[in-house]
Amino acid sequence: PLLRAGLEMLHPKLGVVPNALEVAEDLLKAIPAVADDAFGEVIARYARSQATSVAVLATNALPKVWGQRSRALLIALLGHPEDTVSVAALSKLRELGALDEHIVRKLEPIIIGSLPVRTPMRVASGEALAFVAPDAIPAARKLLIQGLSATVGNTPDAEDLTVCYASSLLAIGGDGAAVVLRWKTATTWLRTRLEAVMRRYPHLRTS
């Protein structure tokens, strides 16, 4: 009750009263894992905050008090303009075991690059696809293959994404042919990195 009262009082003062932001951050860090619908309403307001630091902390805290009820807001936060918030939301959805086919569809424009999303969120999305629910695996496999095809170039970001997508695809039993095909067209350094991934799956052949 004290944490809830403090956060309710501080919310309208963020950015107005000196040190309000810092105090709110401390209170959000102290939230225990106790189901409380009313407290969740307060935390949800912080998760929608323009202040990135409190939005991240609130996103991490929300499932502690709302559990599965937090799913809808976490999905909405996947489109947050700040990577740290969207990555936190995706991490919490993964912890809730909520990575179903609907989430896979939400991640599609991020994976294939049709949204102007920065690399950290694309990497987090690719990693998350290795942990989808069983009925979402076929859709995740298809999307990761699309991601491999759409990720071109020799920049460090492109290579990181390629390795990430290849790792997740193989982890969920995807067709290794797409990884081998990408290996064949890769630079020497990317080949080395992909080979390190493929060595975990002895059935793959590069020749």
Side-chain angles (χ1 to χ4, degrees):
L2 289 174
L3 288 171
R4 184 172 65 209
L7 287 168
E8 284 179 329
M9 179 186 68
L10 284 168
H11 189 265
K13 300 178 181 179
L14 296 181
V16 179
V17 176
N19 299 321
L21 184 66
E22 289 77 7
V23 176
E25 290 173 352
D26 288 341
L27 295 180
L28 287 166
K29 291 174 184 175
I31 292 172
V34 178
D36 187 325
D37 283 348
F39 198 7
E41 297 285 355
V42 177
I43 298 168
R45 293 204 295 270
Y46 280 88
R48 299 185 185 98
S49 173
Q50 296 296 314
T52 302
S53 60
V54 296
V56 170
L57 290 169
T59 298
N60 286 326
L62 189 60
K64 294 181 180 180
V65 298
W66 258 5
Q68 291 294 334
R69 183 182 170 185
S70 62
R71 185 177 185 275
L73 180 53
L74 293 174
I75 291 173
L77 291 172
L78 293 178
H80 198 282
E82 291 293 337
D83 283 343
T84 49
V85 179
S86 53
V87 169
L90 184 56
S91 173
K92 293 301 147 179
L93 285 166
R94 175 174 157 181
E95 288 180 14
L96 288 171
L99 299 179
D100 56 15
E101 193 166 349
H102 174 66
I103 300 295
V104 174
R105 289 195 299 270
K106 294 285 289 186
L107 296 180
E108 180 175 348
I110 297 172
I111 293 290
I112 65 176
S114 59
L115 276 181
V117 177
R118 290 181 290 273
T119 300
M121 183 55 183
R122 293 185 70 190
V123 169
S125 298
E127 291 174 344
L129 290 176
F131 300 92
V132 295
D135 59 354
I137 287 177
R141 288 172 178 165
K142 180 180 178 181
L143 179 53
L144 286 164
I145 290 172
Q146 289 178 302
L148 280 173
S149 299
T151 305
V152 295
N154 301 321
T155 65
D157 283 353
E159 293 191 354
D160 287 346
L161 288 169
T162 297
V163 173
C164 172
Y165 296 166
S167 298
S168 290
L169 178 62
L170 295 176
I172 55 175
D175 185 359
V179 179
V180 173
L181 180 62
R182 187 68 182 86
W183 173 85
K184 289 180 178 178
T185 61
T187 61
T188 301
W189 174 234
L190 180 54
R191 277 192 173 202
T192 300
R193 295 181 66 189
L194 288 173
E195 285 165 3
V197 174
M198 292 188 288
R199 274 197 292 272
R200 300 199 293 266
Y201 305 90
H203 65 285
L204 291 181
R205 295 291 182 269
T206 57
S207 60

